[in-house]
Amino acid sequence: ALKYKRVLLKLSGEVLAGGKKQGIDFEYVSKLANEIAEIKKTGVQIAIVIGGGNFWRYRDFQSSDIERVNSDYMGMMATVMNSIAFASSLKKNGLKSRVFSALHFPLVVENYSVRQVKNYLNKDYVVICAGGTGNPFFTTDTAAALRASELRCELLLKATNVDYVYDKDPKTNPDAKLFKNLTYQQVLEDQLKVMDLSSIAMCNDSKIPVAVFNLNKSGNILKVLKGKSVGTIIS
């Protein structure tokens, strides 16, 4: 019994790096693709947005001579590479998938279109939305909130490597306070570093709840889709 029928899963580029610091850990990606294949058997419609931080991200290379706009476009290109790789792994695990990109590479991926993506979701494809928003100065968190709003998703799944949203980094602060439930306004007012504030504001406007959970614990995605108490819910 699923609580949500159409969702958007936001993965960071670092997730695809697995145990590596950069690049793609194909063993880990295959494991994740297999988990999504099992979830698809429930009939849920899944769109995915993947970051590019395992290859390039502006804030990691601010000391370079590359201008911000060009650096952001490089990051968007990295999301396309990650999306193609992940789509291949999904296919290997028996899933139909399509990559649509806001940054146009017509020889390798399809141009992003709300109508086309909805059409493929209804045909039981896993759709990966690459290229961020297609514009510099916006993160893939904002892209995820935008796509979730456009595609009328019922939930945005924010995959992380911690169990909950905290008021500070739990890895370096043992006294960090965890939250099981938050309002959009709390996140905005306290500037909690779970997602970019612009993405939270967009989810607030569209009334799309955000589930923040630990992706490294197998089965967590399905638990969230069933409405079980896993991670933090922002609504």
Side-chain angles (χ1 to χ4, degrees):
L2 295 178
K3 185 175 180 180
Y4 307 98
K5 299 299 177 66
R6 177 182 289 180
V7 300
L8 188 138
L9 174 62
K10 168 59 172 64
L11 301 173
S12 68
E14 290 88 341
V15 163
L16 270 61
K20 302 178 179 180
K21 290 184 178 180
Q22 288 185 317
I24 298 174
D25 183 337
F26 288 99
E27 184 177 346
Y28 180 80
V29 167
S30 179
K31 178 183 175 183
L32 179 56
N34 181 65
E35 184 172 355
I36 292 176
E38 290 300 311
I39 293 166
K40 276 296 294 175
K41 292 178 182 178
T42 66
V44 66
Q45 295 182 356
I46 302 176
I48 301 174
V49 168
I50 306 176
N54 53 326
F55 287 113
W56 188 272
R57 184 169 47 198
Y58 166 71
R59 75 168 182 254
D60 295 334
F61 295 95
Q62 290 188 53
S63 59
S64 71
D65 294 328
I66 301 174
E67 293 181 5
R68 170 66 187 269
V69 170
N70 289 332
S71 184
D72 281 353
Y73 277 121
M74 291 172 67
M76 285 182 254
M77 293 178 194
T79 71
V80 175
M81 291 194 295
N82 282 337
S83 297
I84 293 171
F86 197 60
S88 297
S89 192
L90 290 172
K91 183 178 179 181
K92 188 177 179 181
N93 279 274
L95 291 176
K96 299 182 293 183
S97 67
R98 274 285 197 280
V99 178
F100 288 85
S101 175
L103 201 63
H104 295 174
F105 297 96
L107 293 179
V108 288
V109 294
E110 297 179 61
N111 294 340
Y112 177 77
S113 157
V114 175
R115 182 180 60 82
Q116 283 281 67
V117 170
K118 285 182 177 179
N119 184 40
Y120 277 106
L121 287 172
N122 289 328
K123 290 181 177 179
D124 213 29
Y125 280 73
V126 175
V127 176
I128 304 176
C129 303
T133 66
N135 298 289
F137 301 104
F138 293 98
T139 68
T140 47
D141 276 348
T142 300
L146 176 61
R147 300 302 176 230
S149 299
E150 291 175 332
L151 301 173
R152 296 186 178 275
C153 293
E154 299 169 348
L155 178 71
L156 195 162
L157 293 151
K158 168 71 173 177
T160 68
N161 58 4
V162 292
D163 293 327
Y164 300 95
V165 174
Y166 297 83
D167 62 346
K168 47 192 170 185
D169 189 347
K171 295 180 179 178
T172 54
N173 298 279
D175 61 336
K177 178 184 177 181
L178 68 85
F179 302 95
K180 289 190 176 181
N181 292 281
L182 285 165
T183 65
Y184 305 112
Q185 203 60 36
Q186 282 177 289
V187 176
L188 293 170
E189 289 178 357
D190 297 340
Q191 297 191 20
L192 299 176
K193 300 184 183 299
V194 53
M195 295 175 72
D196 289 338
L197 298 184
S198 59
S199 63
I200 294 295
M202 191 175 297
C203 287
N204 183 17
D205 289 341
S206 301
K207 297 297 179 280
I208 299 173
V210 180
V212 183
F213 65 99
N214 192 336
L215 184 66
N216 296 321
K217 293 186 176 179
S218 182
N220 265 359
I221 299 177
L222 185 56
K223 288 177 182 177
V224 173
L225 295 181
K226 290 183 175 181
K228 295 186 177 180
S229 181
V230 176
T232 302
I233 295 293
I234 303 170
S235 61

